[in-house]
């Protein structure tokens, strides 16, 4: 009876481990489904919004807000191509900022910084014509805004181009003050 009791206890332990593993897998699967659903929702809302706006700038601002709200990233900004034949990206002045005091220095530096192809996050996005992710801008050799001095309070960044007839017309960039692993699913969605 004691031997049988020991066997039953061992089987109970094994079943509890399997149950715990199964619960973890179900939770991970549920989270992935929720994230996929949220991504499809944001894509759907963006398409609907694009059909309702009257100007390109209005579409960009609404897209910026939607992506920040969806991703939970506290800072978003838009660079646009300079007018007058200059091949430069300049700040549009369009922002999404959850904490204006925390990101004040970054905003000031960004407002006064323009980019050529390949330079900085916006320039890399422009050059590649595709989304770019930077794990840690404080360790990035190609992040000129860090040279401006002061505490910028940004760490991780990503962005993507907005193309019109195959030509990059704007670059949307997003920053967080925390480090994040590269999110391929998000970049793939934004690339589309």
């Amino acid at each position: 009876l004691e031997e049988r009791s020991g066997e039953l206890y061992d089987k109970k332990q094994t079943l509890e481990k399997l149950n715990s593993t199964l619960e973890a897998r179900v939770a991970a699967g549920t989270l992935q489904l929720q994230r996929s659903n949220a991504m499809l929702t944001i894509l759907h809302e963006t398409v609907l919004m694009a059909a309702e706006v009257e100007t390109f700038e209005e579409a960009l601002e609404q897209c910026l807000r939607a992506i920040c709200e969806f991703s939970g990233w506290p800072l978003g900004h838009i660079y646009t191509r300079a007018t007058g034949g200059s091949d430069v990206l300049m700040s549009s002045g369009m922002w999404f900022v959850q904490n204006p005091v925390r990101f004040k220095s970054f905003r000031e530096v960004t407002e006064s910084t323009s980019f050529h192809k390949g330079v900085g996050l916006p320039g890399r996005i422009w050059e590649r014509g595709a989304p770019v992710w930077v794990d840690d801008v404080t360790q990035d050799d190609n992040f000129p805004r860090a040279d401006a001095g002061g505490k910028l309070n940004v760490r991780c960044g990503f962005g993507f181009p907005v193309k019109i007839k195959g030509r990059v017309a704007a670059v949307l960039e997003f920053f967080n003050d925390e480090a994040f692993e590269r999110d391929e699913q998000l970049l793939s969605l934004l690339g589309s």
Side-chain angles (χ1 to χ4, degrees), residues 8-153:
L8 287 175
Y9 178 78
D10 290 344
K11 286 183 180 181
K12 179 183 175 206
Q13 294 291 2
T14 301
L15 283 174
E16 286 177 356
K17 287 180 185 174
L18 288 172
N19 188 39
S20 178
T21 301
L22 182 59
E23 286 175 355
R25 286 184 180 172
V26 167
T30 300
L31 186 62
Q32 182 63 31
L33 284 173
Q34 289 171 337
R35 184 153 172 78
S36 294
N37 187 43
M39 285 188 176
L40 289 173
T41 299
I42 193 71
L43 186 60
H44 176 73
E45 287 176 8
T46 303
V47 169
L48 289 177
M49 172 271 307
E52 295 175 0
V53 298
E54 294 185 25
T55 67
F56 178 61
E57 289 76 18
E58 187 180 352
L60 288 175
E61 282 186 294
Q62 287 188 23
C63 187
L64 183 73
R65 173 173 293 285
I67 291 168
C68 285
E69 289 174 353
F70 158 73
S71 67
W73 284 48
L75 187 62
H77 175 255
I78 301 171
Y79 272 97
T80 54
R81 298 279 294 269
T83 56
S86 178
D87 226 11
V88 173
L89 289 174
M90 299 185 71
S91 175
S92 68
M94 292 183 267
W95 288 90
F96 177 92
V97 185
Q98 281 182 346
N99 187 338
V101 173
R102 178 158 181 74
F103 299 112
K104 182 179 186 291
S105 294
F106 182 77
R107 285 186 68 181
E108 288 172 353
V109 168
T110 298
E111 292 284 341
S112 64
T113 306
S114 58
F115 291 95
H116 293 278
K117 276 189 181 178
V119 178
L121 178 60
R124 283 183 272 186
I125 295 165
W126 181 15
E127 182 175 64
R128 295 178 188 174
V132 173
W133 184 282
V134 179
D135 293 324
D136 189 347
V137 297
T138 65
Q139 303 297 315
D140 187 9
D141 293 337
N142 190 357
F143 193 70
R145 287 175 272 190
D147 298 337
K151 185 143 176 68
L152 299 178
N153 292 320

